[in-house]
Amino acid sequence: MEGHHFICYSTIDGSDAAQRLYAELKSGQPAFSAWLDKHHIRPGRDWDEQVVEAIRSCASLLFLMSTDSVEPQSVCKQEWSRALQYKKPIIPLLLEPEVEMPFRLGSRQYLDFSGDFEGAVKQLRQHFQWLSSPQGVLQALQERLADAQRDLRRATDERIGQRIQDEIDELTRQIQEQERLIRDPQGAAQRVAENIQRGLERERRPADKPQRKTSRKFINPPPAIAPSYFPNRFIETGLVVDFLRDPAKRLMTVVGRGGVGKTAMVCRILKSLEQGELPDDHGSLSLAGIVYLSSSGTRRVNFSNLFADLLKLLPEATRRPLESLAKDPRAAAADKLAALLHQLPEEQFVVLLDNFEDLIDPQTHNIGDDELDEALRALLTLPHHGVKVLLTTRVAPRDLALLEPARQSRIDLDQGLESPYAENILQAMDVDGKLGLKTAPPALLAEARQRTLGFPRALEALFAILSADRHTSLEEVLQQADRTLPENVVEVLVGEAFNRLDATVQRIMQALAIYAQPVHPTAVDYLLQPFLPGIDSAPILNRLVSMHFVRKETGCYFLHPVDRSYALQSIPPGQEADRQVSDRTPFSQFALLHRGAEYFRQARKPREDWKTIEDLRPQLAEFELRCNGGDYACAAEVLLEIDFSYLMIWGDYQQTARMHERLQDKLADLWLQQNSYGNLGTAYYWMGRYPESIASYEKALKAARSAADSWGESAWLGSLANCYGELGETPRALEYYRQALELAQQLGDPRIEAPHINNIGYYLVDIGQNAQARDHHRQALEISRETNDPIGESIHIANLGIRTHDLGQTEQGIQYCETGLAMAQKAGYRYSESVSLTYLGDIFLDQGEYAKALEYYQEALKISAEISNIQFRDLAEWGLSLTHLCLGHLNEASRFVAEAISHEVPRTNYADFALQGLIYLRQNAQSQAQDSFSRAIAEAERLLELNPQNSRALDFTALALCGLGLLQAKSALLAEATQAFKGARSICRDSGPIRRMQRLLEEMAPCAPEGWL
């Protein structure tokens, strides 16, 4: 058996036997852990507390029966009575032949230690091992049943008799299940396996389950439903009502220790508001919607969930563009929220962020989630809006409290409930009066309130103790606390309640603690199957809900944070080796976290059903458990399966980055190292965080070289080239691409050879070499065709199309781009589809076919927004802006160019600002135009320092100089512009770029004097 064995003896006549037994158990084979006061009591700590803790955590109590130890007044009776309360096996050891067993232990068979001591110890060792067997478990249940039946015969109080009968009924059910297991272990195991398999099927196919109907106004279930008996915290409720009614207030923080009733109080108010009424006769208040998020619930507190759930309050048509914005990796959380708040109607909305302490850094007391911190700051500082946030937490976020204090309120729930509300809770929970609370004397209830400090969770724990232990009355619980319970009364009573449960129920609680999120009974059964072969947790979980041990939400079960913490700490940490599958899996945190992760591995949906992040919830849960268990290699494998092809394609770069950041410096395997570093770099790249991306790619490159992995080395060199290319360092980018290409050619791997050749062509355009670029795209296309790579073929042929157009062969360019578009659509490759559409927009804009250009650009923008491709979103918005400018739609042109600028793409910023300056010029907004032209020149000069051959940067420098010359009436600036144009033409004289600059100058001409341009 796991755990120590408590040796209970009389110091008068059992000390020698206790010492000898302790030594034998510790030193013999097999050795067992034993607890003896002479060896384990620590000086300076309360003796009784240490003894009680030892009994509470023991595997069994060994009662050494001597003349003195069986006396009614012996301290031993207190010890074995406490063991009965904690449902611990009691093993009587007979030291003297004539001694009689105490009446309450009469159903137990003793081991005879009065003769052959060593032989008896050998029997005891065998008995320890037998206790863990199904037969041993059955005997323990039968002994408890016999105790209960004996007590029932002697019960004189009907209420107590009913409590005993309830326990008899439950024990009878458990015994029947255990006997069934013993009679047919294979059949029982098969039934459990089939139940688990059916549950896993439901997890994999959630669409088959009945959907819970919810109002569009009330998003997610509340994290708690305040029961009808929950007391009226009149003062605190009034303060929340004042906050909700005050248009100047935006954030209220409800701070208090675990179990003080923060969540219940707030949920009581919000549940009442779902009907449009405030509680406690505070009148009516209409809300347009409520969003519930909880760090311990099914819908966690983070910015993505906050934004997505607020979106659900909007009409479908208004929601779509904001859904695209949500995926924009470079848009700040504050900007996203500002756009959303702007669309919300002029009504009041409330957001509850429950158990917020999980997001607060314990060192700084600040919010650890940067996006969420930025969003909450935006809620406080943005212009008027109707969203109010209620935040419940054990620890208040420090810096946030200093921001806009006039817009914040705070409630500190330091004190528990006053009389009579605490007493009312105890009486109301005792619905049928079996626990004696409903009819308890007022003085006794008042003492309970004082001892619990009136904390609601402590009162619930007190109720749970009485529910779990029929031997105990309220008077006895309070007598055992012979002095006022400590400040951590909630934790103490929660622990005491937990330890009154039998071993099976404790393990179900521990399973919920391991998962640390709401789960179905199937998950609990799977986790405990090796330890409880006939497990069926569903009825036990429902009983635990009624006993106030467990919470339930939409068919899933979870623990209050205080209970979760205690239950988790009660599981031995174990060793990393515990993860290994063996005939006897140890009951340890390492083993359970591993098995919990395996449950979610099996709960995955089929790959063809991976359409949204909701479909990847099992993988995300598995990743969390792998990390919690220190199994970072397996966590990395889970993440690498979903990050590049799913999360990043869907635009979830922030989450991808956060998950990879947890793995940094924790992976020994070089392949996992390089791919985790590399994919973190890719997430940073798409978020525009190029310096961080370069640092990650360099680490990936180093790992690849250490592993002599030329394929990886080539890939990460190409990725580094992408970063430098986007930063405008074209020569450096081309050098990295050529190194990457050389390695790919040495490997003879066309899968990476073709993309490198294509990208070299892409960046040759930056140095005015369109013809060479076209040749590279054609070469990449040929390789993709030879290797039957339709995805690569689609992107290479699109690039070939735009380069062919730039060289003056427009009809052929259109054919290439349309072919690339068709191939991308057939392959379902959205990136290439966006590229082809953008290039077709460019071509038709150059041809003056504006209607077609708008059509292609709009479709390209839609797709690039959906996949969060910022580079091509920027190009599509730039094209839309210029097209509208050519059509005379100045407001639309201004809107699209502002969107393009908001993405801050370093490689094209100068073109965005130059076009914006031109639009301002046409709108006669001279100050704004001058500012935009100046910024365009500054951005272009930055790139020209990195790449003097950047002909496009020279062209737009010239355009901006023309604009400034017009605004300032300085012909010298026109001379500078002329030189810049000549410089660009000395690098590139292809018709496409020239035609585009001519069109821009034509749009500037209406603002210039005759002959000026």
Side-chain angles (χ1 to χ4, degrees):
M1 291 184 69
E2 298 169 353
H4 63 259
H5 300 273
F6 183 95
I7 299 176
C8 170
Y9 71 101
S10 168
T11 57
I12 294 174
D13 56 6
S15 291
D16 291 343
Q19 291 278 15
R20 184 179 179 187
L21 177 61
Y22 177 81
E24 289 281 352
L25 291 176
K26 294 281 286 184
S27 60
Q29 291 298 324
F32 288 93
S33 174
W35 193 96
L36 186 65
D37 53 2
K38 301 293 186 184
H39 294 275
H40 290 88
I41 290 291
R42 297 178 181 178
R45 288 182 55 195
D46 185 275
W47 177 288
D48 291 343
E49 284 184 4
Q50 294 184 68
V51 170
V52 169
E53 176 56 34
I55 296 172
R56 184 187 293 126
S57 57
C58 73
S60 74
L61 182 140
L62 307 178
F63 176 37
L64 276 57
M65 293 193 300
S66 63
T67 301
D68 185 71
S69 70
V70 298
E71 288 294 319
Q73 295 79 20
S74 172
V75 71
C76 292
K77 182 178 181 181
Q78 297 179 28
E79 293 176 348
W80 58 253
S81 295
R82 185 61 68 97
L84 285 175
Q85 292 177 332
Y86 292 146
K87 300 177 176 59
K88 302 295 184 182
I90 298 176
I91 306 172
L93 307 180
L94 186 67
L95 296 182
E96 302 172 20
E98 67 278 6
V99 170
E100 291 187 5
M101 191 178 301
F103 179 76
R104 287 180 65 191
L105 302 180
S107 61
R108 288 158 181 79
Q109 180 64 44
Y110 64 79
L111 294 177
D112 191 351
F113 272 69
S114 63
D116 180 5
F117 196 91
E118 291 183 358
V121 171
K122 183 177 180 181
Q123 280 186 297
L124 181 59
R125 285 198 176 92
Q126 293 170 348
H127 189 66
F128 285 160
Q129 295 172 323
W130 179 82
L131 279 176
S132 299
S133 69
Q135 291 78 8
V137 172
L138 176 61
Q139 176 176 299
L141 291 170
Q142 289 171 335
E143 288 173 350
R144 288 176 55 202
L145 178 61
D147 291 344
Q149 289 170 334
R150 183 192 63 242
D151 293 345
L152 181 62
R153 290 192 295 270
R154 289 163 175 77
T156 57
D157 186 299
E158 182 180 353
R159 174 179 55 79
I160 294 174
Q162 186 58 56
R163 290 182 67 186
I164 298 172
Q165 185 59 54
D166 288 346
E167 181 170 346
I168 288 173
D169 293 343
E170 177 59 24
L171 285 167
T172 301
R173 185 192 69 79
Q174 292 184 42
I175 287 170
Q176 290 172 349
E177 288 295 320
Q178 194 67 17
E179 288 174 339
R180 188 180 179 190
L181 170 65
I182 292 170
R183 283 195 308 270
D184 184 11
Q186 291 184 342
Q190 181 66 26
R191 283 192 298 275
V192 173
E194 289 173 356
N195 287 339
I196 291 172
Q197 195 57 43
R198 284 193 292 270
L200 283 167
E201 276 300 315
R202 288 192 295 271
E203 292 275 11
R204 297 185 195 112
R205 302 286 182 186
D208 296 339
K209 296 186 291 187
Q211 297 298 307
R212 179 177 181 268
K213 292 183 179 180
T214 57
S215 166
R216 191 171 67 83
K217 289 180 64 176
F218 310 116
I219 311 301
N220 308 322
I225 300 296
S228 58
Y229 57 74
F230 189 82
N232 306 331
R233 281 187 177 269
F234 290 115
I235 295 176
E236 294 87 350
T237 298
L239 292 173
V240 176
V241 169
D242 290 344
F243 163 77
L244 293 173
R245 282 186 163 153
D246 187 344
K249 299 290 187 182
R250 297 187 179 180
L251 175 68
M252 170 171 272
T253 306
V254 183
V255 187
R257 61 195 305 167
V260 77
K262 306 179 295 294
T263 302
M265 180 193 74
V266 172
C267 286
R268 174 176 175 266
I269 296 169
L270 295 182
K271 196 64 183 174
S272 182
L273 280 171
E274 289 188 10
Q275 310 304 319
E277 296 293 328
L278 288 161
D280 306 337
D281 298 323
H282 281 287
S284 61
L285 179 64
S286 177
L287 292 181
I290 301 173
V291 174
Y292 297 99
L293 296 172
S294 175
S295 291
S296 62
T298 52
R299 192 67 169 165
R300 300 298 182 94
V301 180
N302 57 51
F303 176 71
S304 296
N305 287 344
L306 172 64
F307 191 89
D309 290 349
L310 283 171
L311 274 182
K312 294 173 185 176
L313 298 169
L314 292 172
E316 185 70 26
T318 311
R319 198 186 306 171
R320 288 196 197 98
L322 289 170
E323 287 173 343
S324 298
L325 177 61
K327 293 182 178 181
D328 186 340
R330 301 193 194 185
D335 295 335
K336 294 178 182 180
L337 198 60
L340 189 154
L341 295 175
H342 180 70
Q343 294 297 329
L344 283 173
E346 288 291 325
E347 297 176 86
Q348 185 166 320
F349 302 84
V350 174
V351 175
L352 171 60
L353 305 181
D354 185 48
N355 291 133
F356 200 79
E357 64 274 358
D358 289 350
L359 291 97
I360 294 180
D361 188 306
Q363 305 299 322
T364 65
H365 284 193
N366 289 323
I367 300 173
D369 184 326
D370 292 340
E371 274 194 308
L372 190 59
D373 184 47
E374 183 181 338
L376 291 176
R377 290 172 179 274
L379 280 165
L380 286 169
T381 56
L382 285 169
H384 175 72
H385 58 79
V387 175
K388 290 177 177 286
V389 175
L390 286 163
L391 193 154
T392 67
T393 181
R394 294 191 225 176
V395 182
R398 180 179 295 162
D399 287 355
L400 185 67
L402 304 176
L403 181 68
E404 297 287 348
R407 291 180 169 176
Q408 298 195 51
S409 297
R410 171 169 169 160
I411 298 177
D412 288 284
L413 290 185
D414 295 326
Q415 302 299 317
L417 302 171
E418 297 180 353
S419 182
Y421 304 117
E423 294 90 331
N424 291 347
I425 277 188
L426 287 172
Q427 292 183 310
M429 284 190 289
D430 188 15
V431 177
D432 50 18
K434 294 177 186 176
L435 303 184
L437 297 172
K438 191 175 286 293
T439 57
L444 186 61
L445 292 173
E447 184 180 356
R449 173 179 53 79
Q450 292 168 0
R451 296 292 179 87
T452 60
L453 305 180
F455 291 158
R457 182 64 194 130
L459 293 165
E460 287 183 334
L462 196 61
F463 173 84
I465 290 171
L466 299 176
S467 298
D469 182 10
R470 67 173 177 81
H471 294 290
T472 302
S473 66
L474 179 58
E475 296 95 326
E476 290 169 331
V477 173
L478 298 178
Q479 285 171 8
Q480 288 171 5
D482 55 2
R483 55 185 176 277
T484 302
L485 285 166
E487 276 295 306
N488 61 334
V489 57
V490 176
E491 290 79 1
V492 170
L493 287 177
V494 160
E496 191 66 23
F498 175 86
N499 285 291
R500 304 282 174 136
L501 299 169
D502 65 38
T504 297
V505 181
Q506 283 185 3
R507 289 195 163 180
I508 289 173
M509 294 271 288
Q510 290 165 327
L512 293 177
I514 286 290
Y515 283 117
Q517 62 178 292
V519 293
H520 291 99
T522 302
V524 175
D525 292 349
Y526 180 90
L527 193 70
L528 298 179
Q529 189 181 20
F531 315 101
L532 302 171
I535 181 69
D536 180 13
S537 64
I540 300 174
L541 285 165
N542 286 325
R543 186 160 61 91
L544 288 170
V545 171
S546 68
M547 295 166 69
H548 295 278
F549 279 98
V550 170
R551 269 65 169 148
K552 186 177 181 181
E553 177 186 302
T554 60
C556 294
Y557 299 83
F558 63 102
L559 300 178
H560 186 282
V562 177
D563 299 67
R564 186 177 72 225
S565 176
Y566 187 90
L568 189 62
Q569 290 173 11
S570 70
I571 306 172
Q575 302 174 349
E576 290 190 17
D578 293 351
R579 301 191 197 111
Q580 304 302 317
V581 177
S582 64
D583 294 337
R584 189 174 184 279
T585 303
F587 194 82
S588 70
Q589 290 188 32
F590 277 112
L592 293 172
L593 286 165
H594 174 75
R595 188 164 176 82
E598 287 299 310
Y599 170 79
F600 284 116
R601 180 186 289 274
Q602 295 190 45
R604 296 179 184 180
K605 285 186 175 184
R607 188 178 293 270
E608 60 269 20
D609 292 338
W610 297 359
K611 308 297 184 184
T612 70
I613 195 168
E614 290 298 321
D615 301 320
L616 298 180
R617 288 300 166 195
Q619 287 93 324
L620 299 178
E622 180 186 350
F623 176 86
E624 191 70 22
L625 289 172
R626 300 285 188 201
C627 288
N628 290 345
D631 191 359
Y632 295 106
C634 283
E637 290 172 358
V638 173
L639 180 53
L640 290 170
E641 188 177 2
I642 62 174
D643 61 346
F644 193 81
S645 300
Y646 296 95
L647 294 177
M648 285 197 272
I649 281 181
W650 297 334
D652 291 308
Y653 303 109
Q654 293 279 3
Q655 177 151 340
T656 303
R658 282 195 295 267
M659 293 171 75
H660 275 296
E661 285 165 352
R662 292 186 66 178
L663 302 176
Q664 301 310 291
D665 303 322
K666 293 182 173 67
L667 299 172
D669 182 88
L670 289 173
W671 187 88
L672 292 175
Q673 263 188 43
Q674 66 163 303
N675 283 282
S676 181
Y677 282 133
N679 287 4
L680 175 60
T682 301
Y684 287 149
Y685 171 82
W686 287 113
M687 288 188 284
R689 294 161 62 176
Y690 298 118
E692 292 162 280
S693 179
I694 288 170
S696 292
Y697 282 143
E698 285 176 342
K699 290 179 180 178
L701 180 61
K702 181 180 178 182
R705 285 171 172 166
S706 297
D709 180 357
S710 297
W711 192 97
E713 186 178 354
S714 177
W716 307 127
L717 282 167
S719 296
L720 279 166
N722 286 336
C723 288
Y724 287 116
E726 290 304 318
L727 288 170
E729 297 188 49
T730 306
R732 191 170 185 179
L734 288 170
E735 177 57 32
Y736 274 117
Y737 277 131
R738 287 175 177 130
Q739 291 179 33
L741 176 60
E742 185 178 344
L743 277 168
Q745 290 170 336
Q746 290 172 4
L747 289 167
D749 190 341
R751 292 174 303 166
I752 53 176
E753 184 179 352
H756 292 329
I757 292 172
N758 177 72
N759 287 335
I760 289 173
Y762 185 78
Y763 283 102
L764 282 173
V765 175
D766 282 355
I767 55 176
Q769 298 182 18
N770 281 296
Q772 294 91 327
R774 179 196 58 190
D775 294 342
H776 278 75
H777 295 318
R778 183 176 285 125
Q779 184 183 352
L781 175 62
E782 290 170 357
I783 294 173
S784 292
R785 284 174 173 168
E786 290 171 1
T787 56
N788 193 28
D789 175 15
I791 290 178
E793 188 175 349
S794 69
I795 189 69
H796 304 328
I797 200 169
N799 284 331
L800 179 60
I802 193 66
R803 296 291 86 81
T804 301
H805 163 69
D806 283 346
L807 291 168
Q809 301 171 43
T810 297
E811 289 302 320
Q812 189 174 1
I814 292 173
Q815 290 176 10
Y816 280 139
C817 288
E818 288 177 341
T819 302
L821 175 61
M823 295 185 70
Q825 290 171 334
K826 183 178 180 180
Y829 188 38
R830 304 284 276 168
Y831 172 85
S832 183
E833 191 177 351
S834 171
V835 171
S836 298
L837 288 163
T838 302
Y839 288 164
L840 283 166
D842 291 343
I843 294 172
F844 285 111
L845 172 59
D846 288 346
Q847 296 299 104
E849 297 186 44
Y850 301 132
K852 282 188 175 181
L854 286 177
E855 180 183 345
Y856 283 120
Y857 281 137
Q858 286 164 349
E859 187 62 24
L861 177 59
K862 177 183 174 183
I863 294 171
S864 60
E866 288 174 359
I867 64 173
S868 297
N869 185 307
I870 299 303
Q871 284 88 341
F872 275 87
R873 182 171 177 176
D874 173 79
L875 294 178
E877 286 165 344
W878 193 92
L880 282 166
S881 177
L882 180 54
T883 307
H884 280 294
L885 175 62
C886 294
L887 289 168
H889 306 155
L890 297 183
N891 289 336
E892 283 296 284
S894 180
R895 179 171 69 86
F896 279 115
V897 80
E899 286 291 320
I901 287 171
S902 70
H903 305 312
E904 297 183 2
V905 179
R907 188 166 172 262
T908 55
N909 275 343
Y910 60 86
D912 296 339
F913 281 117
L915 179 56
Q916 186 183 53
L918 176 52
I919 295 166
Y920 279 140
L921 188 65
R922 289 284 299 272
Q923 292 175 321
N924 201 30
Q926 297 186 3
S927 175
Q928 294 95 321
Q930 182 161 318
D931 181 62
S932 295
F933 284 137
S934 298
R935 295 189 67 179
I937 293 169
E939 289 288 334
E941 286 177 345
R942 181 183 63 80
L943 294 186
L944 288 166
E945 288 178 6
L946 300 169
N947 172 23
Q949 296 296 106
N950 192 328
S951 60
R952 193 165 183 261
L954 285 167
D955 272 333
F956 279 92
T957 298
L959 180 69
L961 286 168
C962 286
L964 287 177
L966 285 172
L967 290 166
Q968 300 174 13
K970 291 183 179 179
S971 56
L973 291 175
L974 282 186
E976 287 184 42
T978 301
Q979 291 303 311
F981 276 132
K982 287 181 178 179
R985 297 292 71 76
S986 69
I987 298 167
C988 176
R989 301 183 63 84
D990 298 324
S991 59
I994 293 174
R995 190 161 49 240
R996 265 162 238 142
M997 294 313 299
Q998 286 175 330
R999 185 170 301 280
L1000 287 163
L1001 288 170
E1002 288 168 4
E1003 294 303 322
M1004 187 180 286
C1007 302
E1010 183 70 27
W1012 180 269
L1013 294 177

